[in-house]
Amino acid sequence: MRFWSPQQKYLLKVLNVTSCMRKSQVLPLLRRQFDISPNAIAPICRQLRDAGYLREFDGIISAVGPHYEPFIPQALDLIFAILPRETLLFHRESHTALYALGEQSGLLVRVFYISQKQDLFALPDKEEVATQKSVLTVLLLDDAAQAAYIPPHFSCLVAYPDHTGKLTLQQHGGGKQHET
């Protein structure tokens, strides 16, 4: 039986929910929970990889098990930008959504990956959105043109990659654009 550090246990717990993340996202994740040195990340990941609990490929670490959803690293980027210093609790209800609750603010960030316009029909209806407080919904799109299919009553942020792959964040229905 292995004895894992609190940092390794926390990383495994998050990976059990998210299934993957960029290796560069491990430090900001662990810094929120622990006072950790950047030099500690490599040994933490190496020990878990050598024990068969995670795998690394092309800058992505993932939990051993079913394949991971490629939108998750972008969803984590958005969550880290929206809740920059908070300890996070992660949850998933489907393979196209990632939820994160900021423990200090109580803000729930819901990131939905929308791969095509038909997926927009699965969004919560107007009444469900109106009853929720301290919830921020972000739609992660493959293309900016998909935003035209979002119902006008749906209040959210829209994120999509530009031609360089950088995410552009925009308020639905207008507003300022921001880059993450």
Side-chain angles (χ1 to χ4, degrees):
M1 180 173 163
R2 293 194 178 264
F3 294 98
W4 300 116
S5 70
Q7 295 87 355
Q8 289 168 319
K9 289 177 185 176
Y10 181 69
L11 178 58
L12 286 173
K13 179 180 172 184
V14 171
L15 282 173
N16 283 332
V17 175
T18 65
S19 74
C20 73
M21 66 179 55
R22 283 188 206 95
K23 193 166 182 182
S24 62
Q25 293 171 324
V26 175
L27 180 61
L29 175 76
L30 294 180
R31 274 215 168 139
R32 294 161 188 265
Q33 187 80 12
F34 308 97
D35 185 23
I36 190 167
S37 162
N39 297 333
I41 300 303
I44 287 171
C45 292
R46 184 179 58 247
Q47 289 171 356
L48 292 172
R49 184 192 64 230
D50 291 349
Y53 285 90
L54 65 84
R55 55 187 161 213
E56 294 181 47
F57 178 74
D58 200 24
I60 300 285
I61 63 169
S62 64
V64 173
H67 76 285
Y68 63 86
E69 301 299 330
F71 83 93
I72 293 291
Q74 289 181 323
L76 287 170
D77 284 341
L78 292 166
I79 290 167
F80 290 163
I82 292 167
L83 299 167
R85 292 178 182 87
E86 294 206 41
T87 303
L88 302 169
L89 297 173
F90 292 96
H91 178 70
R92 286 190 70 184
E93 291 182 358
S94 74
H95 68 281
T96 60
L98 179 63
Y99 293 30
L101 176 66
E103 286 188 344
Q104 291 82 7
S105 68
L107 177 65
L108 177 66
V109 177
R110 307 181 307 173
V111 180
F112 294 98
Y113 173 64
I114 309 295
S115 62
Q116 51 189 327
K117 71 179 181 180
Q118 288 83 8
D119 291 343
L120 289 168
F121 297 118
L123 294 174
D125 61 21
K126 190 175 184 177
E127 291 75 31
E128 183 182 338
V129 172
T131 61
Q132 297 173 348
K133 296 180 180 162
S134 299
V135 175
L136 176 62
T137 300
V138 182
L139 302 182
L140 181 56
L141 309 175
D142 279 335
D143 189 296
Q146 290 174 278
Y149 297 100
I150 301 171
H153 70 269
F154 197 78
S155 176
C156 64
L157 294 177
V158 176
Y160 52 87
D162 64 11
H163 66 282
T164 64
K166 187 180 259 189
L167 285 179
T168 298
L169 190 61
Q170 182 178 12
Q171 203 173 357
H172 176 61
K176 293 185 175 182
Q177 291 188 359
H178 305 281
E179 288 188 354
T180 57

